[in-house]
Amino acid sequence: MSELPEPTVAVIVVAAGSGTRLGAGIAKAFVGLGDRTILESSLDGVFGMVEPAQVVLVVPADRVGEAQTIARGAAGRAVDYVSVVAGGDSRQESVARGLATLWPSVRTVLVHDAARALTPSALFDAVVAFVERTGWGAVPGLAVADTIKRIDDEGHVLETVDRSTLAAVQTPQGFPRAALIEAYRAADREYTDDAALYASAGHQVATVPGEALAFKITTPWDAERAEQVIAKRTATGADLKPSHPAPGAAAPAAPLDIRTGIGIDVHAFAADAPLWLAGLHWPDQPGLSGHSDGDPVAHAIVDALLSAAGLGDIGSVFGTDDPRFAGAHGEVFLAACIERLAEAGFVPVNVAVQIVGNRPRFSARRLEAEALLTGLVGAPVSVAATTSDALGFTGRGEGVTAVATALIRRS
Ligand code: CTP
Ligand code: MG
C-alpha cells in the first residue's frame, strides 16, 4: 500500500453467482463479453472512481486464483487495494463474506453486482457522494417505463399500480459501514437487495438517479445488448476504459467532444390552472400559466439541451403557436428534444436544474422528480430549489423561475 492513501471507501463486487438464467454453462462473471469477461468489464467502472477504494471481489471458490489475475490486470497501480474472496450459496452470503474483509479505514461501503458490467464510474462516485453527504443508504433508481399490473396466481389482473411512485433500482448501492455491518448481523432472512436488508434494520435509504448502462446481465438477451454497446463503442473509437485514471496512473489523453448549454424559463401563477412542475402533477396547488402545461423546469431543460447542441430554443424548435403542443406536458417536449439531439449526433451527459420560487415546497418530491426526469432525459438530472429571500417576482409569489445547465456529448 506504501505511498497510496488509506481508502475510506470500499466496493464489494459480488461475482459468485452461477448464472443459471444466462445458461452459459460457466459462472456468469467469467462469461465473455466482447473480447473480455463480464468481471473485467465491470471492473472498468470500479477502478475509474475518483476516490481510490478498497475493492473486494467475491467469486466462486474454484475461481479465486483466476480472479486474482484479472484483478491485478485491472487494478494497475491500485493493485494493493484489491483482494479476492470465495462467495457463498446466496448473494447475501457472498456480500457478508466481502464485508468480513473490510479495512479499518473504510467508512462507506458500496455493494455492486459484477453482472452490471457496463456501469459507469460516475454512478459509483454519485453513490459515494450521496452517502457521505446524507449518512443514508443510497440506491440508483430509474423511473419505471412499463405500466405495472398486480395479478393473482392465475394471471388475472387485479389492479394497475401507480408507477409514478415506483423506481427500478440498480447497483452500486452504498451505505455507511457501521450501520450496514450491524444490519447484516441482524438479518434473519434473505432480502432481494442490500437496501432492503439495510432498511429492515430501521435505516433510511434514498434513490439517486440511476443509469441505463447499469442494467444487469441476466439472460442471453441482456448479454447480447451489452455486446452491442461494446461493439458500437469499439467501432466509434469511444473509450471503454475508465474516465478517471486509477490512483497514481497518468491520465489518458481522451478526445473531448462535449458541449454545455444553459436554459431559463419563467411562468406566472394562474389560480385556475393545474400545477405541473418538474414533470410532476401537484394536486391542490395553484398552477402556472402557459401555452403548454407551464412547467418551467421541463422547458428550461429543453432549452439547455438545445442550446448545448446549437439547435436554437424551445420556441423556435417547437413553436409556441403549434396546436400540437397546447397543454402538452414536459415529457412531450423532452422526448422530442432528445430526438432532435440524436438526429444532430448528440446524447445528454447530465442536466442540473435550479428552481427559484416560494411554492410548491419542492424538497419532499425532489427524488421523485429527479427519477422521472432522469428517465426522460436518459442521463442524470438533478433538481435543486430555493426561494429568493422575498425579493422580486418569485419572492412576491407571482411565479416560478427555473434555470438549467446541460452537458452533452457526441454519440
Ligand atoms: N451473486 C453472488 N453470489 C451468489 C449469487 C449471486 O455473488 N451466491 C452475484 C452474482 O454473481 C451477480 C449478482 O450477485 O453479480 C446478482 O445476481 P444474479 O444476477 O442473480 O446472478 P446469478 O445468481 O449468477 O444468476 P442466476 O440467478 O441467473 O443464477
Ligand atoms: Mg441469482
Side-chain angles (χ1 to χ4, degrees), residues 196-221:
L197 182 153
Y198 185 77
S200 78
H203 302 298
Q204 303 269 31
V205 180
T207 57
V208 300
E211 161 66 61
L213 282 171
F215 71 91
K216 184 156 73 74
I217 299 174
T218 305
T219 63
W221 188 86

Side-chain angles (χ1 to χ4, degrees), residues 81-128:
Y81 278 26
V82 192
S83 55
V84 180
V85 294
D89 288 340
S90 67
R91 184 184 179 282
Q92 197 161 309
E93 177 57 27
S94 293
V95 175
R97 293 191 185 186
L99 287 174
T101 71
L102 293 181
W103 293 337
S105 59
V106 168
R107 295 278 154 269
T108 300
V109 181
L110 268 53
V111 182
H112 184 55
D113 295 331
R116 300 181 186 274
L118 302 181
T119 308
S121 304
L123 190 60
F124 290 84
D125 294 332
V127 170
V128 170

